[in-house]
């Protein structure tokens, strides 16, 4: 195909409210550098990280939940360390951690045979410093992402996928499902009793499917109105998110919420059980009774960095039909602000897809 010089997309112009998301029709199409590919984006999807990056919630100066600043951000004090890496975010930035599309050009050192491949982009990418320290880049945060008609990424982070699913359906997998699979592999989950918090969201609903795939007995914390949908995804039990939890009942807690109820989650873990977190939407500052930790021999784990096999394993599950997308709604890219408003209302299960390029059925 002939690569245009300009493209349409949404740029984040600074930390703050939705007004910082600006629709543009004159963005330069990026050129793939050495070892990179150029992708014509078919679809993206929404994630908490898109909102949290916009608002600057990752700044250590922010101590509240993710919803409190969603409408207006957290102020200028978040500018210095508002990205995943703890560095200042570079603006303007094209966000979009999720991306499904087709390779249309390659940079130096990349085989031309890759042109035409349908790919998913690895959302959490392993980079390194000159000192050899591992650094996690989030697609759409530390580099431009999928909220535009074209994007570039390293060839190893564009993973070919063969599927009858639509671009929108496929685009709902990368960030949420790799986060959930990363947590599950981090704690070596088996056929055990697992509690999933925030279970109706993208990562939570993914964790239900991925935990069931490993034979786990899954208890989902959610609102009563979403319980039946989560049971249809595979949850064995659905509890109200404010319900009392039985002490010592779970081998593993997969937590995406944090907040004031965190001590209750810790008490619900059995002796020598494991706790894994990759989110804190209810608040990042929690209270820990160290006696519970050491007297129960608990293991507490964070989960962000992912070995490269996490994403390729995920693509293998997709191609084998072992997991399925949960698309609650789809919006065109130019209505991204409206899509984020629907996302923040949390009145859905799964993911909200973003159609970047309308496609005929496959």
């Amino acid at each position: 195909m002939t690569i245009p010089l300009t493209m349409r997309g949404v740029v984040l112009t600074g930390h703050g409210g939705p007004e910082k998301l600006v629709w543009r029709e004159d963005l330069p199409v990026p050129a793939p550098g050495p070892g990179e590919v150029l992708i014509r984006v078919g679809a993206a999807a929404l994630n908490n990280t898109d909102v949290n990056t916009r608002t600057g919630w990752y700044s250590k100066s922010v101590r509240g939940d993710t919803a409190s600043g969603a409408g207006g951000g957290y102020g200028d004090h978040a500018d210095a360390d508002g990205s995943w890496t703890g560095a200042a975010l570079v603006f303007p930035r094209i966000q979009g951690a999720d991306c499904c599309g087709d390779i249309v050009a390659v940079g130096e050192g990349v085989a031309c045979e890759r042109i035409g491949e349908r790919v998913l982009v690895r959302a959490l990418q392993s980079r390194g410093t000159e000192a050899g320290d591992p650094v996690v880049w989030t697609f759409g945060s530390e580099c431009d992402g999928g909220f535009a008609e074209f994007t570039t990424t390293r060839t190893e982070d564009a993973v070919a996928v063969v599927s009858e699913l639509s671009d929108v359906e496929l685009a709902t997998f990368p960030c949420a499902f790799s986060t959930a699979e990363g947590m599950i592999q981090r704690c070596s989950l088996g056929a055990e009793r697992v509690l999933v918090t925030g279970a109706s969201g993208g990562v939570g609903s993914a964790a239900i499917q991925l935990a069931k795939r490993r034979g786990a007995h899954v208890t989902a914390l959610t609102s009563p109105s979403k319980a039946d949908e989560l049971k249809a995804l595979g949850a064995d039990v659905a509890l109200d998110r404010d319900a009392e939890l039985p002490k010592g009942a779970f081998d593993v807690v997969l937590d995406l919420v944090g907040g004031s109820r965190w001590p209750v989650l810790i008490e619900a873990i059995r002796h020598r059980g494991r706790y894994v977190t990759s989110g804190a939407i209810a608040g990042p500052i929690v209270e820990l009774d160290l006696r519970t930790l050491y007297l129960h021999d608990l293991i507490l784990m964070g989960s962000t960095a992912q070995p490269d096999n996490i994403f390729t394993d995920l693509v293998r599950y997709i191609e084998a039909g072992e997991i399925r997308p949960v698309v609650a709604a789809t919006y065109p890219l130019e209505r991204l602000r409206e899509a984020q408003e629907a996302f923040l209302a949390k009145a859905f299960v799964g993911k909200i897809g973003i159609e970047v390029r309308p496609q005929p059925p496959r």
Side-chain angles (χ1 to χ4, degrees), residues 16-340:
E19 76 283 352
K20 296 295 186 178
L21 297 169
V22 178
W23 172 254
R24 294 269 300 276
E25 298 187 357
D26 60 349
L27 296 170
V29 173
E36 294 183 338
V37 297
L38 176 67
I39 298 169
R40 180 173 59 173
V41 181
L46 296 185
N47 295 281
N48 279 311
T49 187
D50 301 315
V51 177
N52 297 344
T53 298
R54 167 173 63 78
T55 62
W57 181 81
Y58 293 112
S59 169
K60 288 290 190 180
S61 65
V62 178
R63 301 176 67 84
D65 62 26
T66 58
S68 59
Y74 293 95
D76 294 341
H77 53 271
D79 289 349
D81 60 344
S83 73
W84 275 66
T85 61
L89 201 68
V90 177
F91 299 109
R93 172 65 73 218
I94 297 171
Q95 290 190 278
D98 286 322
C99 177
C100 176
D102 302 292
I103 295 176
V104 294
V106 297
E108 180 184 349
V110 180
C112 291
E113 288 77 11
R114 294 221 65 186
I115 294 175
E117 284 184 5
R118 192 183 192 200
V119 296
L120 290 174
V121 177
R122 184 178 276 110
L124 296 174
Q125 303 178 359
S126 299
R127 306 291 175 112
T129 65
E130 291 183 359
D133 299 322
V135 174
V136 178
W137 280 39
T138 302
F139 193 63
S141 176
E142 283 64 52
C143 60
D144 285 340
F147 290 161
E149 292 179 310
F150 293 88
T151 191
T152 58
T153 195
R154 298 183 306 179
T155 182
E156 61 265 35
D157 291 321
V159 179
V161 60
V162 179
S163 175
E164 294 299 318
L165 295 173
S166 70
D167 282 357
V168 168
E169 290 172 319
L170 285 173
T172 63
F173 285 115
C175 187
F177 276 77
S178 67
T179 298
E181 181 69 7
M183 296 172 76
I184 285 170
Q185 291 196 25
R186 181 92 164 87
C187 70
S188 301
L189 180 68
E192 301 173 281
R193 300 164 298 169
V194 60
L195 177 70
V196 179
T197 70
S200 64
V203 180
S205 59
I208 291 171
Q209 291 192 58
L210 292 165
K212 289 302 295 182
R213 180 186 169 278
R214 290 171 175 259
H217 181 281
V218 179
T219 297
L221 286 185
T222 187
S223 59
S225 63
K226 300 173 182 176
D228 289 342
E229 288 182 80
L230 297 187
K231 288 180 179 178
L233 285 179
D236 298 283
V237 178
L239 297 178
D240 187 284
R241 58 192 174 196
D242 296 321
E244 288 297 319
L245 299 177
K247 291 187 176 182
F250 302 100
D251 301 290
V252 175
V253 169
L254 302 178
D255 184 26
L256 308 161
V257 175
S260 61
R261 276 178 54 85
W262 192 81
V264 176
L265 300 178
I266 299 304
E267 292 286 352
I269 304 172
R270 69 161 179 83
H271 189 75
R272 296 188 182 276
R274 292 102 73 203
Y275 166 93
V276 192
T277 181
S278 67
I281 60 174
I285 310 302
V286 298
E287 182 180 90
L288 170 63
D289 186 334
L290 287 173
R291 292 165 295 189
T292 303
L293 176 62
Y294 75 77
L295 291 175
H296 292 186
D297 292 306
L298 302 181
I299 299 172
L300 307 185
M301 290 174 273
S303 180
T304 294
Q306 299 174 0
D308 286 349
N309 73 280
I310 296 290
F311 198 70
T312 52
D313 287 350
L314 179 63
V315 171
R316 178 166 52 86
Y317 306 158
I318 294 168
E319 293 181 335
E322 296 176 1
I323 53 177
R324 64 182 179 89
V326 183
V327 185
T330 301
Y331 289 79
L333 179 59
E334 58 265 33
R335 291 170 56 194
L336 183 64
R337 288 189 190 180
E338 182 182 343
Q340 280 203 1

